[in-house]
Amino acid sequence: LTYVTPRIIAMGFPSVGAEAVYRNPLPEVQRFFEQRHRGRYRIYNLCSERAYDPAEFLGRVARHPFDDHNPCLLDLIPAFCEDMDAWLSAHDDNVVAIHCKAGKC
């Protein structure tokens, strides 16, 4: 996890099992957000190759998927930006976390 700004976080895919050895372990990501940004975070999953149940983050997940190592379709950008802007504008303490598969979005 990396803070790009105080309110925007970039991260790799929250993973379980063997993949959690080299990606962000899901339980640690959950703990991070609940301890540091309880009730004030929204996660954006840009990964088209896989997904997780939004309930893992209390429903605070939005998907705007596109294939890893490829640019997204231009028509995905407005919805993503509008959703993120609405969340960040709703409260000064709100943060967003954006991830693809490896966290190099």
Side-chain angles (χ1 to χ4, degrees):
L1 293 135
T2 301
Y3 282 88
V4 177
T5 74
R7 299 179 67 202
I8 299 174
I9 300 164
M11 66 182 205
F13 193 88
S15 300
V16 296
E19 198 172 63
V21 171
Y22 57 91
R23 297 202 194 282
N24 293 322
L26 179 69
E28 289 182 24
V29 176
Q30 291 167 318
R31 183 172 50 249
F32 172 84
F33 284 107
E34 285 302 310
Q35 287 179 352
R36 295 180 183 240
H37 301 291
R38 182 180 295 261
R40 295 289 175 198
Y41 65 88
R42 184 160 171 81
I43 297 173
Y44 291 86
N45 179 0
L46 306 183
C47 184
S48 66
E49 294 87 0
R50 60 190 66 189
Y52 45 84
D53 185 347
E56 297 286 0
F57 294 100
L58 306 174
R60 294 186 185 98
V61 177
R63 286 197 76 218
H64 297 274
F66 61 94
D67 292 344
D68 204 28
H69 304 290
N70 289 282
C72 70
L73 296 174
L74 291 177
D75 63 349
L76 291 176
I77 295 172
F80 168 72
C81 291
E82 289 166 6
D83 189 293
M84 190 167 57
D85 181 59
W87 176 255
L88 291 172
S89 298
H91 195 282
D92 288 343
D93 292 335
N94 283 358
V95 300
V96 296
I98 305 161
H99 74 78
C100 53
K101 193 157 89 177
K104 300 174 186 173
C105 306

